[in-house]
Amino acid sequence: MTIAELSIFASVMLYLLTILPAKWISARQAGRFDNSRPRDPGFYDGGIRERVLGAHQNGIEAFPFFAAAVLLAEFREAPQNLINELAVLFLIVRTAYVLTYVGNRPTLRSILWAIGFLITVAIFFLPLIRNYLPV
């Protein structure tokens, strides 16, 4: 497996692990989280739990395009080292995005979202420009 392919898995783990602390911490605090109703909207009302849910949902939304871009770039034989580097950079940016989302930093969060999206676009178009790359 390539580093980029492992980054697809890491991307899934990132959005899954984003929601886990809110549920786990709340479950330990007087049973606030009810696992029989894991999607109860009342649980996510306001504060950090609402931001964690938003970061989690955005991770789910960003994943399909990222995964498709990585696989397309690999199938169309774009430079693998560049795909790997961009995929890892995407994960770094997405991790920072989650932290700014949870930390309630909306401007920085939006900037990081845009950077992550542009990285995915770059991966997607690597096959188109591979002949022009010095790699």
Side-chain angles (χ1 to χ4, degrees):
M1 292 189 87
T2 66
I3 291 171
E5 290 163 356
L6 292 172
S7 295
I8 293 172
F9 176 74
S11 180
V12 171
M13 295 310 296
L14 178 61
Y15 78 70
L16 289 176
L17 293 175
T18 299
I19 198 79
L20 186 65
K23 291 182 177 184
W24 187 75
I25 291 168
S26 293
R28 298 180 68 85
Q29 295 174 348
R32 181 115 163 88
F33 176 72
D34 181 3
N35 197 41
S36 65
R37 298 180 56 207
R39 295 177 189 250
D40 176 19
F43 174 74
Y44 299 103
D45 282 346
I48 195 167
R49 286 192 297 264
E50 184 175 7
R51 293 191 304 273
V52 166
L53 178 63
H56 169 73
Q57 289 172 333
N58 188 268
I60 293 169
E61 294 162 1
F63 174 75
F65 184 36
F66 172 68
V70 167
L71 295 176
L72 174 74
E74 288 189 341
F75 293 158
R76 295 294 182 170
E77 299 178 358
Q80 188 63 53
N81 62 329
L82 195 50
I83 300 169
N84 290 342
E85 290 167 0
L86 288 171
V88 169
L89 184 58
F90 174 82
L91 287 174
I92 293 167
V93 168
R94 287 299 300 186
T95 301
Y97 171 86
V98 168
L99 294 174
T100 57
Y101 208 131
V102 173
N104 200 20
R105 304 287 306 248
T107 302
L108 182 55
R109 180 188 82 217
S110 295
I111 291 167
L112 290 169
W113 181 91
I115 292 169
F117 182 76
L118 289 174
I119 292 168
T120 304
V121 169
I123 295 169
F124 184 85
F125 284 109
L126 277 177
L128 182 65
I129 63 169
R130 74 172 173 241
N131 294 330
Y132 304 102
L133 297 172
V135 180

